[in-house]
Amino acid sequence: MTDLSSQQIRGQFLDFFEKKGHKIVPSFSLIPLDPSVLLTSAGMQQFVLYLEGKKDPLKDFGTWYLTSCQKCFRTADINEVGDDIHHTFFEMLGNWSIGEDSNKGYFKEEAIDLALEFLVDTLELDKDKFWITVFKGGNNIPKDEESIKIWQEKGIPKERIKEFGMEDNFWGPIGEVGVCGPCSEIHYDRGKEFGCQKPDCRPNCKKCNRFIEIWNLVFMEYNKNAKCQMPNAKCYNYTLLPQRNVDTGMGIERLTAVLQNKPSGYETDLFWPIIKNIQKISSKKYKEEKRIFRILADHLRGSVFLIGDGILPSNLDRGYILRRILRRTIRYAKVLNLPENWYVSSIKKLSEIYGSTYFELRTKETEIITVFQNEEEKFGRALDKGLSQFDKLLKRKRKSGKRKIISGLEGFSLYSSFSVPIDLIQELAKERGFEIDIKGFEKALKEHQKISRAGAEKKFGGLGLEKVKDKRQKVKVIKLHTATHLLQQALRDVLGDQVKQMGSDINEERLRFDFSYDKKLTPEQIKKVEEIVNQKIKENLPVKKNEMDYQQALKSGALAFFKERYPEKVTVYFIGDSLEKSYSKEICAGHHINRTGELGQFKIVKEESSGAGVRRIKATLES
Ligand code: GLY
């Protein structure tokens, strides 16, 4: 086994695949292009259109073979963080072959060859410690006999090749539907001392982490489709993609742990400097509070990378993910008795570890520290109060001798009064031997949301018009709202369908529209957008609405704002004579002007970035 730093491992991986004709593609932002997905969770995400056969890799990269080290973030396993193998943020090494036929691309055999060559010849890992898993078939997709045969031909004995079903050996899609395929994983046997000692202990053992999955080779040749259009109906089928692809993923933390002969990624050079740093200022030792040190280091690193990509704590979507992990670090810092500003030196250490690969950690260091400071100020005191309230509640409950259950309403009251995330309340309860009625909590939360939504709807279609007292100003806000619909369609005309609404804010002065797009707009593009909107204003088109089912609305091509949860019946506003021939269609509850001719002259006054992959336009209407 070679003795390599994580930096060298990253470099060697990319070098290896570059020498094999792959193009090195830099890591994409943690904010994915596809607005229906919150965070980048796999290396393949930036290549989806190529894997689907909709874009040509040869045109954009000069080759069908790609490789990358991608920043990833997964929340599904957040409760496992602290064990040897799970992280929220991690880096994934990967290689791709896009589209295999007789002339180009590679598939199973070459992918397996490449993986073995890198692990055995370059990294000098002991092949006798490899166990392989393959797809045993399921959902009308056949067993992967071919991979079993190839692995045996490459010298892996049959006893070390294990078959699993959809849950373990079928990868993807990222969302509900999309590209996916059977996969074959390489697991590394770390030895009995890491195991549960059961005689039938094997890869994917539910009791221990003796076998650590290091590399996942996905043979991506399927698409998962929604078979029926009924809302919430879970019926899917799998069809073959127009092309066969290879998509692989290898977590650098696990690989580094194996190569540096450490129990987990936390003891490797990716994490250890942070843990040592925290230990120096804590009254506790890593040995005594391993799980807490690990969660703290994981969440600190995760938060730093999220903020580095432009995410700020909020109560919505990815902002809420950041808020949750930030608040968890604040809470665990208290458990370890860390002093105020404990995070500053660790954030600096993270820049040292990662800054030469991910420059944003260096360039945004001060900003990152400020976000931590602000969140600590906001939440730190509330947490102290929340905790004391919580302990009083538990004391009362213990005295009463009743069952150790916190009701949904009690949980909701803690959550809403002190902004303590519910999973944190749940965790605190569990530590104290209590349970929380999560169903009851969700009911209370829904009830609360219903009441606030009804309030917001009463307020003039959610445009904030209740704040505007003057009738003339109200009309201005409504006009800007209609202009926002025209703007969104014009942007899609000029920049393409990847433009999706990411946010909108209107006051009597201007509209502000955030949308997904990864480049600065050129002056020509801005001019073109303005021209289109003004042309549509000149055409004096009618603005009309139709009520219909949500699914029907989507089918009609109406744009929906992905952050919104829509009811079954929705209103579609369209601009034009009929729904079919309209220029713009959007699901929308707000108020609109009757004809576009009333809008006046549309002007874009500012175009700027609003986070990674998101642009912001401010525009006005002049009469
Ligand atoms: N896309 C392969 C993986 O994430 O494992």
Side-chain angles (χ1 to χ4, degrees), residues 30-31 412 468:
L30 283 167
I31 304 177
F412 180 73
V468 187

Side-chain angles (χ1 to χ4, degrees), residues 41-44 74 90 92 96 171 174 213 215-218 220 247-250:
S41 62
M44 49 71 82
R74 291 186 184 173
F90 63 98
M92 187 126 81
W96 288 269
W171 196 87
I174 290 265
E213 178 210 321
W215 206 340
N216 185 16
L217 314 180
V218 186
M220 197 162 255
D247 157 40
T248 86
M250 174 155 62

Side-chain angles (χ1 to χ4, degrees), residues 268-311:
T268 70
D269 61 351
L270 289 165
F271 267 114
W272 194 240
I274 307 291
I275 292 188
K276 257 190 358 207
N277 200 46
I278 298 175
Q279 193 170 239
K280 233 171 36 202
I281 49 173
S282 167
S283 58
K284 309 227 165 118
K285 292 269 163 286
Y286 178 66
K287 297 207 285 291
E288 305 155 4
E289 295 285 3
K290 201 146 99 182
R291 187 174 159 267
I292 292 181
F293 270 92
R294 286 176 169 194
I295 295 176
L296 205 51
D298 172 276
H299 287 13
L300 179 90
R301 184 179 75 157
S303 304
V304 164
F305 272 95
L306 290 177
I307 304 166
D309 273 345
I311 299 168

